[in-house]
Each structure stands twice: as C-alpha cells, then as structure tokens.
Amino acid sequence: MAMNSTPDAIFWYGCNMTRHGEVIRASARILEAVGVAAAPRGGPAACCGSPKDANARINGGMARRTVQAFNGSGAAAVITWCPSCHMNMQDSMAPVTPTNFETQHITEALWARRAVLAPLLTQAVPARVLVHGHLGFQGRVPINDLVPALLRLIPGVTVLDHPYRAPGHMCSALAGVPGALADCHRALLAVAEENRLDTLVTIFHSCHREAVALERHGLRVMNWIHLLAAAMGLPAEDAYKTWRNAQDARAAIGDERLTQAGETAFARLVEPELGQPPVV
Amino acid sequence: MTLADRIRDEGARLAAACTACGACVRACPMTAYVPAAMADISLTAFGMRDLLTGGVGNAPGLAWVAVCARSGVCSDACPEHLDAAFLLRLAQMRAKGALDEAPRIPVKEDTGFSARVKAFARLTLTEGEQAEWL
C-alpha cells in the first residue's frame, strides 16, 4: 500500500522489524481484513530517534522528520507495533512536534474489531501457549491482557494464565545487562516445562529474535501474529527463526537472497547476529 | 520546541517534584543486577534526580540509571504519583550526554544500526515492499 494515496492509517512497524518481514506483511493483511487499510512504514526513515538517545539533536531531528511525514500522509491514525516507538511518540515526539493523527497500538486496533476478526479465525491451531509478557508498556497499553485475549479467539489455542513477567519493556532492553536476558529465558523455559506447554508466544520483535533460539530446547516459539495468520490461512513463514537455528545460515538463506542482501552487508551486519550463541 | 528543550524542561519539572525517597529504587526489578543501588536507596534516588538537572549524579545513581529497561513499576510505586519511568528515561538520556554533556554512563550505540535494518529488509521484503514500506 503506497503512501501516495491517503490510507486510513499507517502501520508504523518500527525499525528492527525488518528481520521479520512476514510479520509486517501479515499484520497489514490482518488489519485490512478487519477493515483498516494501513500502509506499513518503518526503517531508518521512519525512526522514533531512540537509537540516538545519546544525542538529542540527532534524536529529535529523526523524530521530527517521522512525525512530519506521518502528518503529511493524511492518515487519521498511526497504528504502532514497537513499544519504544509508541512510548516515544507519546512522551517526546508528539509533545515536540504536534501531530494530526491518533496513536493506537495494533493490539488495541484488533481487539476493538474482534467481532470482525473472530469469524475470520477459521483454522484450528493446536497449541498450549505461554505468552511472553514484560512488566513494561503494560501501563500504557494492556498488552499482557490483549494478546492472550486475541489468542483465545483462535480455535485450538489454550493460553496459560501465569504471573511471570520479565523486567523491562522488551528483551532488547535486557540484552545489554549481563545476566538479565539469560534469567528471563531460564524462567520462560521453567514455566513452559512445569506446565507442559508446547509453544512460547512472543509479543514483540526484539523478544522474538532472542527467543527463537529456545527452540533448541524443544520449545516451539511463535509470535502472536504468526498464530493469528495461521488461523486465518495467511502465509507467514518465520524465516528468521529458520536462519537463526540453522547449522549453516548461508545455506538456509540461499544464494538468491544472499545476493539480494549483498555479500559485504550480509557478512558484516547479518551473519554475526545469526551466528550468536544462545544465551541459555 | 526541540527535544533538548523537552528533556531540559521536563527534567527540571520532575526533579522539582521528586523527593528522592527511593520508592522507585525499591520497586525496580533491575536492581537485582546492580546490588550497589540497594545499599542506600535514597542516595541512589538522589543521584538519579541530580542527573535530571544536569548534575553529575553519584555512583549508585548512575549504575541504576544505566540498567533501566523501562519496566515502569517505578511509576506505580511513586508516592508523589510522578511518571517515574519517564523521569528515569530522561535521567538516562542526560547521563548518556544527550545535551552535549560528557557521558557519565557507557553509551552502547550500534553504529551499524541503519545499515543492518536495511540489510535484513533486503532479505525479508520484496523490492516493491522495500520501496513502499521503508
């Protein structure tokens, strides 16, 4: 969906979601199916500025450019994915550069349209799941309630109510603190084992990219959008998970895609991440 | 208004309302990774508050601010009903040197961030999607 026509909304997927193109694609299709024509926008050109937290001038410039682009699109709403983007929009972007759109998280947009969504979830997805919640962001958007509620609309899905919440707002915030992410993953594995669950469901992208390595412990890892897509019969193959857990990431990706990425960029920027050892 | 103005103005407002009682420190789950922050929670809170107005902070305050992961439970714990999570975020930005001050905590900036995001986009998005969505 191009920005040269006025969309109902922008689906602001953030930056690091480009690892999970199928989640962006499926999210946009699910939104469209419930009546929201949302144009995906993200990447460095639509950044909230937080990667440059150490420099307010650069951070603020990136944020202002993003708000101005969204204002110029004519969209009445910006539907967010990333909790950092969402909070930064509320805390520092909109107060600095006035917006002419409302901001809503994708879980809120889908839950508000659950009467339309539920009949579309026709495919059973047998799974006993633990939703990987964090303490943060819940105060802004009741994400730890909305995701399980959406999953319970899917035939075959059983969601465990469990009080474990990881610190932080998503796993990228824990990754820089020695021991924190490993503690989180050990806790998730323990809860899954104690309750004989077969699937860990991530909410956010940064959690997903870290958690997919837990499949090496025999626990299936899916994002909540993967489950909704499966229930709707939409394709959403988790390529990142395959690459991250492959013995040979290059072979798993294939020559055609490697050529698209560019050998130098792949070797310098992608391959080291895919080859990282799991934290537990 | 600029982001720098926002950081400076909101930091001053919140610092003026914060009593440095330490309730936010006590509630924080990340103190498990910085035991020094718990030795004297008021001192830790004082150091964090000092950063908001351009002060140098103190060792436990800086250590605590550095591990803030935006859990947000500090806001629920604040007896002054401040948005303590935002307050911590502002303190962390000041400690990183966001207002052209010397950084007081390590800044882990990923210089390959934009290029990495685009490299993954080339792997997972079609050319058409890249043209429209990035």
Side-chain angles (χ1 to χ4, degrees), chain A residues 145-256:
Chain A
D145 305 311
L146 291 175
V147 169
L150 287 164
L151 295 178
R152 288 189 173 104
L153 300 176
I154 301 173
V157 170
T158 302
V159 183
L160 175 74
D161 282 318
H162 194 279
Y164 176 71
R165 302 284 183 268
H169 67 302
M170 57 180 175
C171 283
S172 54
L174 302 180
V177 180
L181 184 59
D183 286 348
C184 166
H185 280 191
R186 278 192 285 266
L188 293 170
L189 285 170
V191 173
E193 185 175 341
E194 286 165 14
N195 295 279
R196 298 180 181 180
L197 304 176
D198 54 46
T199 307
L200 176 68
V201 173
T202 59
I203 297 178
F204 298 118
H205 55 298
S206 90
C207 304
H208 191 72
R209 77 170 183 255
E210 300 288 354
V212 292
L214 294 177
E215 290 217 339
R216 302 176 198 194
H217 294 264
L219 179 65
R220 182 171 63 164
V221 179
M222 300 177 77
N223 184 260
W224 65 281
I225 285 290
H226 292 132
L227 282 167
L228 285 182
M232 291 176 67
L234 298 174
E237 182 193 354
D238 189 345
Y240 184 89
K241 182 170 73 176
T242 302
W243 304 339
R244 180 80 171 81
N245 287 323
Q247 293 286 336
D248 182 346
R250 283 177 176 266
I253 291 169
D255 289 342
E256 187 179 341

Side-chain angles (χ1 to χ4, degrees), chain B residues 8-125:
Chain B
R8 197 176 288 113
D9 294 351
E10 281 297 288
R13 182 183 70 79
L14 290 164
C18 172
T19 64
C21 68
C24 50
V25 183
R26 187 180 296 112
C28 177
M30 295 304 287
T31 56
Y33 303 99
V34 278
M38 293 299 284
D40 181 341
I41 59 171
S42 292
L43 183 67
T44 302
F46 179 87
M48 177 275 296
R49 188 182 65 179
D50 191 41
L51 293 167
L52 290 170
T53 52
V56 298
N58 58 34
L62 288 166
W64 183 48
V65 165
V67 300
C68 175
R70 306 180 79 175
S71 301
V73 294
C74 47
S75 295
D76 294 333
C78 178
E80 304 301 322
H81 306 295
L82 302 179
D83 184 350
F86 184 46
L87 188 152
L88 260 292
R89 176 152 171 76
L90 294 173
Q92 191 181 68
M93 292 169 87
R94 292 295 298 252
K96 287 180 175 177
L99 300 189
D100 295 328
E101 296 153 338
R104 304 188 193 288
I105 60 175
V107 176
K108 300 164 189 164
E109 194 167 288
D110 178 4
T111 55
F113 169 75
S114 291
R116 182 172 296 104
V117 166
K118 291 177 182 173
F120 272 109
R122 292 195 294 275
L123 285 171
T124 70
L125 302 178

